[in-house]
Amino acid sequence: MTRTDAGLRSGSAGTKFLELLVPVLSFGGTLAGIFIWSLGVHFGIQYAAIGCVLGSCILAYLAWIRQKKDIVSLTTPIYAFIFFVVPADYLPGIVLQLLFAAGLTILLVRLKYRFGASDEPVPDGTVLAGSLRTYAERVQGSFSCLPQGGAESAGEVFIRFARGDYEEAAREADLAIQHLGPVGGAQLLIRAFSIVSEQAAHLNRSLHPPERYLKFASEYSSLLANPNPGSRDREQEYHTTLYNALLLLYATAWNRSGADRERLLACQDFALKLFTQ
Amino acid sequence: MKIGNVDVKISILVIVVFVFFALLIVVASFSSPAVRSQLYWMLPALILLLVMPMALNYMTRKEYADLEPVYEREARPVRIRMINESMIGKIVKIEGVVESVRFQFLNRPQFMVADRTGEIPVKMFTSPPEDIRKDDLVEVLGSVIRRYMVVGDPVVNCVSIRKRDKNAGPEGKS
């Protein structure tokens, strides 16, 4: 499922209710104004734009809670406020408000299509977001005998890789492999360090995958974040192998080295990008 | 138009604005003698509508041309999915296919460049020396910035975008 599909199909009941409120309030306010005028109560028609003000504020909120922000939706309350405070004649005021309400509705549809799911967790700097948290919990018991230094190295390698310092990431990964050498039960982690080291070193020279490269053994597939990449094309498989290695290092670091969590959280957006589905 | 080594381009929008005001002045000066007496400042102002964007374009392109060797030297190759917030300010080189081109008429083109790992917006604050179109294979040198300077997702602020031959082999040793 693509991100757009997710945006269309997902959303909590509360979010869906808010989405419904945008056109209802925007058009409803103006229609209520027309109705009250038809009863002979002639007030400043610009005040019927209160529905547009509320609708635009809700739209701005829906844009704000998405990870990818839409600056157009975020600024709609400013225009709605102008319509609300500037006196207008009846007909131009009504036309303007109805056009604005239609614009808000179009922006809402655009927001859902182009700016992702509203219930996609926005990292708040204290906890891991959904898929990352689930994966970290899944591998939690796998490295119980790992020395503390191994988890810290895993975090360091991930952070350096996220910053684009590939040479340093490769060097740190090699040091970690030497450090973990004789530790039993850490073969998978050693393989993850080796993959990151190899691919980081390679990335420093070229953007294109080599003919031969390190992979995870199939017996470990249940501990990898992305499903077995063997079914895809070679280049995709190469990239997915790296994503799996990096996510394994991230999850290990998160589960075992409490002191580094603040730094790991700062790289959370990068880790989330490494999930292929 | 070429000034020194710099090929200066002005956007279609600038030409439209120039033509609009030129027509306005012509029509107004025929219909009103009062306007004719003001032509001594109107005509230079009209010419400035062309000269100022050209001067700005020349300065920007010269600056970019000076920066290009520096970026060429310092840029590190990255795959598009690897670009993230931790890389803000880093100089990068990406290769990919242009999926869309927007705002070219403003001389502020924004390219959506994609490789096998993902896609990213590539913003440029002047027109590129080459005519870049959809489906072109390109190499981009630029720095990672936030979309709205201090907030927003990472995008590439492009200093150089060059077409690559689609039939050429991969760059670098594998």
Side-chain angles (χ1 to χ4, degrees), chain A residues 2 18-19 26 45 49 58 90 161 168 179 191 199 216-217 219 226 235 237 249-250 254 256:
Chain A
T2 64
L18 287 177
E19 286 169 0
S26 310
I45 197 65
I58 294 170
Y90 179 76
F161 200 98
E168 289 89 337
H179 176 69
R191 177 48 64 124
Q199 292 214 24
F216 287 104
E219 66 196 84
N226 297 303
E235 190 172 342
E237 185 184 358
L249 295 186
Y250 188 92
W254 178 264
R256 296 294 308 276

Side-chain angles (χ1 to χ4, degrees), chain B residues 51-116:
Chain B
V51 170
M52 285 172 69
M54 279 171 73
L56 286 172
N57 186 263
Y58 169 78
M59 287 190 286
T60 315
R61 294 190 71 159
K62 191 167 185 312
E63 180 99 10
Y64 273 42
D66 293 344
L67 278 175
E68 202 174 320
V70 180
Y71 272 59
E72 191 79 63
R73 203 168 48 244
E74 292 184 9
R76 63 189 66 204
V78 291
R79 294 187 204 112
I80 288 173
R81 196 189 280 247
M82 296 298 156
I83 295 174
N84 68 91
E85 285 183 11
S86 308
M87 292 173 80
I88 299 291
K90 297 245 163 149
I91 297 173
V92 296
K93 177 168 93 172
I94 58 172
E95 277 178 29
V97 175
V98 177
E99 291 202 325
S100 65
V101 186
R102 296 164 70 193
F103 308 124
Q104 206 147 26
F105 68 100
L106 290 174
N107 267 3
R108 299 283 187 279
Q110 183 176 318
F111 308 98
M112 186 60 82
V113 177
D115 68 6
R116 295 295 302 276

Side-chain angles (χ1 to χ4, degrees), chain A residues 69 71 114 161-166 202-203 206-210 233 235-236 238-239 242-243 267 269-270 273 275, chain B residues 76-87 90 93-95 102 116-117 147-148 153 164 170-174:
Chain A
K69 314 282 186 233
I71 198 160
R114 291 186 56 183
F161 200 98
R163 287 178 185 161
D165 300 330
Y166 301 134
H202 179 74
L203 201 53
S206 169
L207 287 169
H208 302 277
D233 64 274
E235 190 172 342
Q236 198 64 45
Y238 176 72
H239 296 147
L242 175 65
Y243 304 157
C267 299
D269 69 308
F270 175 58
K273 283 171 82 173
F275 287 93
Chain B
R76 63 189 66 204
V78 291
R79 294 187 204 112
I80 288 173
R81 196 189 280 247
M82 296 298 156
I83 295 174
N84 68 91
E85 285 183 11
S86 308
M87 292 173 80
K90 297 245 163 149
K93 177 168 93 172
I94 58 172
E95 277 178 29
R102 296 164 70 193
R116 295 295 302 276
T117 66
R147 188 184 286 271
Y148 309 114
D153 48 332
R164 291 204 60 205
E171 189 187 79
K173 279 178 158 183
S174 287

